[in-house]
Amino acid sequence: MEELLEILNDINPDVDYETEDNLIDGKVYDSFSIITLISNISDEFDIELGPEHLIPENFNSAQAMWEMIQRIQEEGE
């Protein structure tokens, strides 16, 4: 989770990722930030995010992203 929080803070350090749960729906992240986030998550965690993963529910909070990353990693084993 620490690596994910570093990625998120690099993109937008002004957000409290411990409590924010509306990153996409609340338009905290714009389209460029989302593309950067997806790329950085893929690289950092060596996972492939398919279209089925690219839904707002997976990206509205740091916790949701972390759970998605763990699911993808488990599926790849």
Side-chain angles (χ1 to χ4, degrees):
M1 179 75 147
E2 189 174 316
E3 300 94 341
L4 175 59
L5 290 174
E6 286 179 27
I7 290 169
L8 295 170
N9 280 311
D10 284 346
I11 294 172
N12 189 340
D14 297 328
V15 176
D16 179 2
Y17 292 104
E18 299 294 325
T19 60
E20 180 62 57
D21 62 357
N22 217 12
L23 293 170
I24 303 301
D25 292 335
K27 298 185 181 6
V28 174
Y29 277 5
D30 61 17
S31 58
F32 181 74
S33 297
I34 295 166
I35 291 169
T36 302
L37 175 62
I38 291 168
S39 174
N40 290 346
I41 287 174
S42 295
D43 291 345
E44 178 68 31
F45 296 99
D46 195 30
I47 59 175
E48 186 174 325
L49 295 169
E52 68 276 11
H53 300 114
L54 304 180
I55 57 174
E57 292 81 18
N58 285 337
F59 293 91
N60 268 326
S61 70
Q63 185 62 40
M65 288 181 238
W66 183 243
E67 290 170 4
M68 174 192 64
I69 291 165
Q70 291 181 313
R71 280 193 312 271
I72 294 170
Q73 289 175 331
E74 288 172 6
E75 290 169 3
E77 291 180 1

